[in-house]
Amino acid sequence: MSVIAETSELADISEMVRAGERLSFADGVRLFRTRDIHTLGELATVARERLHGKAAYYNINRHINYSNICVLRCKFCSFYRPFPKDAPENETKEPRASARANHDREQAFPIIDESRKLKLAAPSDTYELSVDQIVARAREAHEHGATEVHIVGGLHPTLPFDYYLDMCRGIKTACPDLHIKAFTAIEIIHFTRITKPRLSIREVLEQLREAGLDSLPGGGAEIFDDRVHDEAYKNKVGEKGWFDVHRTAHEMGIFSNATMLYGHVESIEDRVRHMIKLREHQDESLASRAAHFNCVVPLSFIPDDSDLSHLPGPTGLDDLRTLALARLMCDNIPHIKAFWIMQTPKLAQVSLNWGVDDLDGTVVWYDITKREGHGTHQELTVDKIKRLIIEAGYDPTERDTLYRPVQQK
Ligand code: V47
């Protein structure tokens, strides 16, 4: 035990962490509120290095956000747009497009083939990508070394379930070895509602898997608390629905991730409870199901342009405390990811010494939040990711979605 920890107000918790013992809710709250931030960081590093040594993971991936049209009105979200009233229904082959986002994309990324050129329609900034456009992006990503596409979008009121199946089939036909991590639990429940007759969660997942889906991302969890739910994302599927989807996925052998959106209207206690709920679910999955959570992704709230834009959002120290706490509380979930789009590359780098072992990946395009740069081009090259990791004292380790090492040819 280090001298710092012995004299710290955290001496008892320090002993527990070093002995690999499980922390309680009260321990979590104390850790979060401690003024002894160096011990907090050190303890998170102990837990992180026990699991992963000096490895720090990243992947070459591409995020694809297929549409910003959404039936929900979550207050934290600046991405969604209402369905345009004059829109023709089920126009999936040549969909409307966001003039600004796609113009920026075409300008910044000239290697796109012709099929990616979008028809610009009404002066609205809603967009839907066609299946062909999505497949073209996936193919292009694969040609540039990507091993994963991460696909999510708004809850679209008129796109049929076949659109999502065709998207998966199209990508697998074009790039059979590209891993498809797609659709948050909220989208999966939306699919159960748009199918006629209604499909169950299991049936939706079976059909998607048959079409090529490989795993589920962790989005849509927000904060598992009724007060926070009603205040910030009232009409969204809540805790029960989110866990139903992940439980079913794990029973079926489909791996998934888990997020926590922090820094808005929740309390510190809410964050700790959220982490404990993830830990409890993981205990059950590890004991009795064919798959489990691979990582926890704490997402730092970006207030800009949302209905909660009057809130300040988390500070850097709040980000570090939360990431460290995720490592210490979620002791049975192998990886903690700092998604650099939300935490910024600089803070994500620092967080490698605060419990984090994964930085997500190259990303390239990201529409849901726009903290880095203008428009939606948000990319870290592999060289930049490696530099961040090496400077932090860790070994850059390229991984696939399931955290197996990747050797680029
Ligand atoms: O579900 C929305 C969040 C999520 C904002 O599984 C916001 O590996 C911050 O889930 N500020 C989508 N966050 C992103 C997501 C994700 C990202 C990276 C990796 C993985 C993974 C998952 O983004 C949404 C919502 O919780 N979000 N708006 C915002 N203003």
Side-chain angles (χ1 to χ4, degrees):
M1 185 189 292
S2 76
V3 177
I4 299 175
E6 273 171 9
T7 55
S8 158
E9 64 184 49
L10 298 176
D12 56 334
I13 295 182
S14 174
E15 262 179 49
M16 290 171 74
V17 171
R18 288 168 203 281
E21 286 169 27
R22 181 157 279 193
L23 302 179
S24 67
F25 170 77
D27 296 331
V29 174
R30 251 178 80 203
L31 273 171
F32 193 93
R33 295 198 192 286
T34 184
R35 290 180 58 86
D36 187 0
I37 57 168
H38 297 292
T39 299
L40 173 59
E42 186 188 320
L43 293 178
T45 301
V46 167
R48 176 229 186 280
E49 293 194 357
R50 187 159 49 216
L51 289 164
H52 308 294
K54 287 290 176 189
Y57 301 95
Y58 68 94
N59 71 350
I60 302 185
N61 68 351
R62 192 71 59 105
H63 285 244
I64 301 176
N65 303 129
Y66 55 82
S67 176
N68 61 352
I69 296 174
C70 189
V71 297
L72 297 176
R73 303 284 176 266
C74 300
K75 288 189 183 166
F76 59 78
C77 182
S78 58
F79 173 62
Y80 77 82
R81 295 289 179 274
F83 184 63
K85 287 200 180 75
D86 57 350
E89 294 216 347
N90 293 341
E91 192 194 11
T92 60
K93 296 297 172 203
E94 291 288 353
R96 294 170 301 284
S98 152
R100 194 193 65 228
N102 290 294
H103 175 74
D104 288 353
R105 185 171 284 137
E106 301 292 316
Q107 295 290 309
F109 214 61
I111 55 168
I112 309 160
D113 67 64
E114 281 300 300
S115 67
R116 193 125 159 232
K117 290 244 162 67
L118 302 171
K119 269 195 179 165
L120 304 182
S124 142
D125 65 353
T126 61
Y127 74 86
E128 296 156 11
L129 300 180
S130 68
V131 168
D132 288 349
Q133 288 166 332
I134 292 166
V135 173
R137 278 183 202 190
R139 189 185 286 118
E140 182 184 275
H142 191 239
E143 283 164 9
H144 286 78
T147 57
E148 167 195 289
V149 277
H150 177 146
I151 306 174
V152 294
L155 303 191
H156 195 291
T158 62
L159 288 172
F161 186 44
D162 277 344
Y163 167 82
Y164 306 95
L165 295 174
D166 288 347
M167 178 190 301
C168 293
R169 278 189 207 110
I171 294 171
K172 280 292 171 185
T173 305
C175 321
D177 59 343
L178 187 61
H179 182 108
I180 303 178
K181 180 175 75 167
F183 313 126
T184 64
I186 314 306
E187 287 159 277
I188 299 295
I189 292 194
H190 177 65
F191 302 158
T192 67
R193 293 172 176 168
I194 60 172
T195 44
K196 289 192 193 100
R198 274 185 173 211
L199 297 178
S200 66
I201 292 171
R202 184 174 294 269
E203 288 164 338
V204 162
L205 288 173
E206 270 164 3
Q207 291 199 21
L208 286 170
R209 178 158 68 178
E210 176 102 9
L213 178 82
D214 292 298
S215 68
L216 295 182
E222 321 315 359
I223 287 281
F224 301 132
D225 178 81
D226 290 347
R227 176 196 64 84
V228 178
H229 175 268
D230 290 356
E231 221 172 299
Y233 34 96
K234 193 169 176 38
N235 295 316
K236 192 172 198 158
V237 166
E239 175 179 340
K240 182 182 175 310
W242 192 92
F243 278 114
D244 282 348
V245 171
H246 286 264
R247 183 181 312 104
T248 309
H250 292 175
E251 281 166 5
M252 294 170 63
I254 299 173
F255 286 86
S256 68
N257 294 337
T259 56
M260 177 180 79
L261 177 66
Y262 66 91
H264 43 97
V265 300
E266 87 290 0
S267 66
I268 299 311
E269 287 76 7
D270 293 332
R271 292 187 205 180
V272 178
R273 268 190 290 271
H274 183 97
M275 291 174 190
I276 290 176
K277 287 177 184 177
L278 292 177
R279 182 170 85 183
E280 285 169 353
H281 181 100
Q282 181 80 337
D283 274 341
E284 290 168 19
S285 288
L286 289 171
S288 62
R289 300 178 188 130
H292 54 260
F293 294 129
N294 277 325
C295 77
V296 184
V297 195
L299 297 167
S300 181
F301 172 52
I302 300 176
D304 306 359
D305 301 325
S306 75
D307 286 350
L308 298 177
S309 61
H310 55 284
L311 297 177
T315 61
L317 194 51
D318 191 1
D319 284 333
L320 290 177
R321 284 179 191 273
T322 306
L323 290 162
L325 208 69
R327 178 61 289 156
L328 291 167
M329 297 307 295
C330 297
D331 53 15
N332 54 2
I333 303 183
H335 300 278
I336 305 296
K337 177 186 290 191
F339 185 42
W340 58 264
I341 298 271
M342 310 294 191
Q343 271 99 7
T344 77
K346 289 183 181 182
L347 203 95
Q349 179 191 37
V350 176
S351 73
L352 292 169
N353 280 285
W354 282 71
V356 164
D357 64 277
D358 183 41
L359 297 184
D360 198 79
T362 43
V363 179
V364 187
W365 300 107
Y366 198 71
D367 294 338
I368 293 177
T369 52
K370 301 184 174 63
R371 179 171 272 178
E372 292 297 308
H374 302 288
T376 54
H377 184 198
Q378 308 196 65
E379 178 170 8
L380 274 184
T381 61
V382 169
D383 282 350
K384 281 187 195 156
I385 294 177
K386 284 184 173 169
R387 182 170 165 235
L388 294 173
I389 293 174
I390 290 167
E391 258 189 30
Y394 287 95
D395 300 331
T397 308
E398 188 185 338
R399 60 158 179 93
D400 67 9
T401 311
L402 304 179
Y403 290 85
R404 295 170 301 206
V406 170
Q407 300 292 337
Q408 285 288 337
K409 290 164 208 143

